[in-house]
Amino acid sequence: MILTFIGTAGSGKTTLTAKFGQYLEKEGHNVAYINLDTGVKSLPYTPHVDVREMITVEQLMKSGLGPNGAIVKSYDILTPHAKEYANEISKLEEEFDYVLIDTPGQMESFLFHDFGSNLMENLREPLVVYLFDPNILKNLYDYCFVRFFALMIDLRLSATTIPALNKIDIIKNELEYYKKYLDNLEYLSSRLRLDPSTQGYLAYKLCSFLPDVISSVRLLYLSAISGAGFEELETVAYEHYCTCGDLT
Ligand code: GTP
């Protein structure tokens, strides 16, 4: 099973890769780890495949590029090798129960660059977990946004994408409030409908359309730190591979 963790900078991809991997290992599974982040300095797991062996952001910055230019350049350098990386990952998938892929800190380096899409299209049924942080959920539009964003990732990478709220350990008291809007799209729509602003109308229209296309995809609630939700993540991964993408 190949699980790819995608999310904005600091959403917890690297921590989750390490901690979920440890959890699976304790359960008796063997796990391979892949690092696709050219900018990361140190990792809490030992990667079986590491793009930093080919190029790092640090090397490119030493040659005069700024941080953003160096990130883009690093993926330009990796792109012609995307298929080789996919082959290496596919070989590991035959050998290991789980392959966990940790993606670049800046999500756009993976989503909007050919390296990410070329790699993903050469993997067999990868499951993507889109991590978002509770901090992004400030108003009702944001709930609609994260659910839509998971769909956009699915579209861009042609891979089933599960949205996952990470860091639930920091919102223990408010978790039920978050779940009310994230899980119940009808309720969310009914609240958005009361908003007279242009954005309210847009979010209402988008949100009303969501059940047609995502009713079958569950949402996960995780804490990479405490391990909350790991069992559910394991179950979703298992179901994905047993049913080829049907996560009802
Ligand atoms: P970059 O690749 O550097 O962009 O970040 P990332 O998405 O890999 O996140 P990382 O795992 O480095 O975590 C960023 C910060 O969030 C660290 O300080 C983690 O300890 C913290 N963090 C990650 N997951 C959780 C979580 O579930 N709960 C809490 N409280 N903190 C977390």
Side-chain angles (χ1 to χ4, degrees):
M1 300 185 200
I2 303 176
L3 266 78
T4 307
F5 298 114
I6 287 183
T8 42
S11 57
K13 301 174 291 291
T14 301
T15 311
L16 186 62
T17 303
K19 295 283 186 156
F20 186 59
Q22 286 163 16
Y23 161 86
L24 292 170
E25 284 172 10
K26 271 197 203 130
E27 295 261 297
H29 299 294
N30 54 4
V31 181
Y33 300 87
I34 315 295
N35 172 50
L36 300 183
D37 190 348
T38 50
V40 72
K41 289 262 163 49
S42 64
L43 291 169
Y45 55 84
T46 307
H48 294 74
V49 173
D50 190 345
V51 288
R52 292 176 304 171
E53 284 171 13
M54 190 169 290
I55 191 70
T56 66
V57 169
E58 204 174 356
Q59 286 166 348
L60 290 165
M61 285 180 69
K62 276 186 191 145
S63 72
L65 288 171
N68 291 324
I71 292 170
V72 174
K73 180 74 183 167
S74 68
Y75 291 99
D76 289 346
I77 292 169
L78 288 169
T79 299
H81 304 280
K83 204 160 178 193
E84 292 156 37
Y85 280 112
N87 289 342
E88 241 182 290
I89 293 169
S90 301
K91 269 195 211 129
L92 288 169
E93 194 197 5
E94 287 169 19
E95 213 181 304
F96 288 81
D97 300 325
Y98 285 86
V99 180
L100 305 184
I101 305 182
D102 185 10
T103 60
Q106 310 291 336
M107 182 165 59
E108 65 267 34
S109 322
F110 195 69
L111 273 186
F112 299 156
H113 199 288
D114 283 349
F115 176 70
S117 49
N118 289 358
L119 179 91
M120 294 299 280
E121 74 193 19
N122 283 293
L123 297 177
R124 191 183 64 89
E125 293 281 341
L127 179 64
V128 172
V129 179
Y130 160 50
L131 293 182
F132 57 96
D133 201 291
N135 287 326
I136 193 180
L137 301 172
K138 295 264 174 2
N139 64 51
L140 287 186
Y141 317 145
D142 302 324
Y143 291 80
C144 182
F145 175 82
V146 291
R147 303 264 5 204
F148 247 92
F149 205 79
L151 282 181
M152 294 300 109
I153 296 172
D154 188 319
L155 207 56
R156 169 73 183 149
L157 299 179
S158 307
T160 301
T161 303
I162 307 278
L165 177 63
N166 189 32
K167 308 192 182 180
I168 61 166
D169 55 296
I170 58 171
I171 49 153
K172 275 192 197 115
N173 297 333
E174 304 93 52
L175 183 58
E176 287 313 309
Y177 174 86
Y178 285 92
K179 281 187 172 177
K180 195 164 66 178
Y181 291 108
L182 285 169
D183 286 340
N184 191 341
L185 291 170
E186 267 179 36
Y187 181 63
L188 178 59
S189 293
S190 69
R191 293 300 309 276
L192 286 166
R193 199 175 184 180
L194 303 174
D195 186 329
S197 68
T198 312
Q199 286 72 25
Y201 183 68
L202 173 63
Y204 166 67
K205 288 305 256 185
L206 290 173
C207 198
S208 312
F209 158 80
L210 280 173
D212 286 352
V213 283
I214 60 168
S215 58
S216 63
V217 175
R218 287 208 296 266
L219 206 130
L220 292 170
Y221 297 92
L222 304 174
S223 167
I225 296 284
S226 76
F230 282 9
E231 248 177 73
E232 182 75 357
L233 174 56
E234 189 183 2
T235 305
V236 164
Y238 180 79
E239 286 170 5
H240 173 71
Y241 281 91
C242 289
T243 59
C244 293
D246 179 9
L247 297 178
T248 29

